[in-house]
Amino acid sequence: MSKTRVPRPLFCGNWKLWGSLSESVALATGVRDATASIITTVDVAVGPGFLALATVAEKLKSSALGVAAQDGYWEVKGAFTGEVAMAQIANAGARYAIVGHSERRQLFGETDANVARKAKAALGVGLTPIICIGETLAERDGGQALARVSSQLDGATRDLPDAELVKVVIAYEPVWAIGTGRNATPEQAQEIHAAIRAQLTARLREKAQEIRILYGGSVKPDNVASLMGQKDIDGALVGGASLTVESFAKLVKEGTSACTTS
Ligand code: PGA
């Protein structure tokens, strides 16, 4: 008899800066149709750009496929030109908000303090924040990977009450593996995931087992199964391989069968 994994795995696409409105709708509805029969034991979401978010969410309204925003601002309204509030994102029909992606940190000056405020704001409007953390190549080569990830995790979650912390999703994304085709080995990823789990366990005890810790960084249909075979890897945050129906649906299928144990 097959047993469903706890926590329930999540496979989330991150389309980054990609796609017209019609391309976004076509990709989202294609993923919806191709994954409909799988989204019973796992959660799956697509990650369109802001301009397509509401339309995509509307198209997916009656399906189990979720929608993730790629960022979001903590203030509800006011003089913050160019920002999109978490409340607006929730109102548009999204279920998740990615916060602290390494591209936001590296290219747009996102700090741990900002990420913490964004995560808190997302939770406040009923969104699930997907908090991204991960070390650079220099930090890994310098033996600093665990310390870096630990301080990012602490910075983003320190001020959340335990009852809110259990609702977050953590995404470990080593910066050197994002968009490079060079993914961490399952063992390298598991080492960090186990450390993240241990840090969460120190605060939440057994409740930490319920938190999903995703891996991200060059996850593809042909390497997702070996990653999902690791004890503390509960899904994937997927960039490049989420940009076609064929590749994302295959990735979700492979990932799902790998995490349904007998
Ligand atoms: P990638 O991106 O799958 O293209 O490496 C992952 C991410 O940035 O979330």
Side-chain angles (χ1 to χ4, degrees):
M1 211 177 79
S2 72
K3 188 165 134 289
T4 306
R5 265 263 285 266
V6 175
R8 186 178 166 91
L10 168 63
F11 298 95
C12 182
N14 172 12
W15 299 353
K16 308 191 181 183
L17 205 176
W18 176 91
S20 65
L21 186 55
S22 60
E23 285 169 329
S24 299
V25 168
L27 178 54
T29 52
V31 169
R32 174 196 64 196
D33 297 344
T35 58
S37 61
I38 311 172
I39 315 186
T40 53
T41 56
V42 298
D43 289 329
V44 183
V46 290
F50 275 132
L51 280 178
L53 188 90
T55 310
V56 164
E58 177 65 27
K59 294 278 178 200
L60 301 181
K61 207 165 56 184
S62 52
S63 100
L65 180 61
V67 177
Q70 299 173 20
D71 192 17
Y73 194 55
W74 56 81
E75 296 289 352
V76 176
K77 61 179 169 182
F80 304 103
T81 301
E83 289 299 330
V84 179
M86 289 295 180
Q88 292 175 307
I89 292 165
N91 182 250
R95 209 179 295 168
Y96 307 91
I98 298 168
V99 295
H101 190 280
S102 65
E103 285 148 19
R104 303 281 340 151
R105 292 178 189 262
Q106 294 202 312
L107 304 174
F108 303 100
E110 192 94 82
T111 63
D112 283 339
N114 290 353
V115 177
R117 293 178 86 173
K118 290 180 175 189
K120 187 163 181 277
L123 288 161
V125 294
L127 292 168
T128 299
I130 300 175
I131 301 171
C132 300
I133 54 181
E135 82 285 1
T136 62
L137 186 57
E139 286 161 348
R140 172 154 288 262
D141 288 346
Q144 295 299 308
L146 280 169
R148 183 75 187 116
V149 166
S150 168
S151 84
Q152 287 178 331
L153 177 63
D154 183 55
T157 60
R158 191 188 311 132
D159 295 333
L160 292 178
D162 291 358
E164 295 290 278
L165 180 56
V166 292
K167 298 180 195 161
V168 310
V169 172
I170 305 294
Y172 168 58
E173 299 204 302
V175 178
W176 47 272
I178 295 177
T180 59
R182 179 183 162 188
N183 65 315
T185 64
E187 294 73 26
Q188 280 175 321
Q190 169 58 25
E191 183 193 10
I192 304 281
H193 280 234
I196 293 169
R197 184 88 64 201
Q199 192 167 332
L200 294 168
T201 302
R203 254 192 73 181
L204 298 171
R205 299 169 204 276
E206 68 280 5
K207 280 269 172 202
Q209 300 298 326
E210 295 169 24
I211 296 186
R212 294 185 279 199
I213 308 173
L214 313 185
Y215 173 77
S218 299
V219 180
K220 308 285 177 213
D222 61 5
N223 64 21
V224 68
S226 58
L227 289 159
M228 293 304 298
Q230 299 295 320
K231 180 171 166 285
D232 292 297
I233 300 183
D234 307 311
L237 184 55
V238 184
S242 72
L243 292 179
T244 67
V245 173
E246 191 198 9
S247 121
F248 193 50
K250 186 151 192 278
L251 186 153
V252 170
K253 274 182 200 148
E254 298 289 337
T256 302
S257 43
C259 64
T260 309
T261 53
S262 53

